[in-house]
Amino acid sequence: MLSVKEVLERIMNIVRQRGYETETYSNHLIIYDSEFKVDITVIDDNIIIVESRDFPKDKIRIVKVREMIEKDDIELLRLLNLD
C-alpha cells in the first residue's frame, strides 16, 4: 500500500496540472481556488474529504485509501468533484 505522503503527492500532482492551488501538510492536503476549497485528510486507511463550495453547505465523504489508489486520474478528479 502507498504511504500517506505518496497518496497526497499523487492527488497534488493531478490537481496542480489542472491549475488548482494546493497546500500540503503531513497527513493533510488543501486544494482551492477562488470558488471552492477541498480538504483531504488521511487517517489510517481512510481519506476524509471535506468540500466547501456553497458555504455553509459543506460535503463530507470518507473513502478508503485503497479505492483512491485504484482510480485513474479522471476518476480521481470526479471523486474530488474537480472534473
Side-chain angles (χ1 to χ4, degrees):
M1 183 185 306
L2 295 176
S3 70
V4 170
K5 181 180 178 184
E6 291 170 323
V7 171
L8 293 177
E9 282 179 356
R10 176 170 182 245
I11 296 168
M12 183 179 61
N13 290 335
I14 292 167
V15 298
R16 279 189 176 165
Q17 290 174 5
R18 294 285 190 154
Y20 298 115
E21 299 292 327
T22 62
E23 293 178 22
T24 309
Y25 304 95
S26 61
N27 71 330
H28 189 78
L29 173 65
I30 301 171
I31 305 164
Y32 61 93
D33 73 2
S34 61
E35 298 179 11
F36 74 91
K37 181 173 91 172
V38 177
D39 291 289
I40 299 171
T41 304
V42 180
I43 301 175
D44 297 326
D45 66 338
N46 295 306
I47 296 177
I48 300 169
I49 303 168
V50 179
E51 180 184 339
S52 304
R53 286 187 188 263
D54 299 318
F55 182 81
K57 299 177 184 178
D58 292 350
K59 292 181 185 177
I60 300 172
R61 289 174 281 149
I62 299 175
V63 179
K64 293 289 185 191
V65 169
R66 177 179 28 82
E67 293 176 43
M68 184 77 81
I69 293 168
E70 293 172 352
K71 299 201 176 293
D72 65 25
D73 293 358
I74 294 171
E75 292 172 325
L76 185 60
L77 290 169
R78 282 190 192 125
L79 177 68
L80 298 172
N81 201 19
L82 298 174
D83 57 346

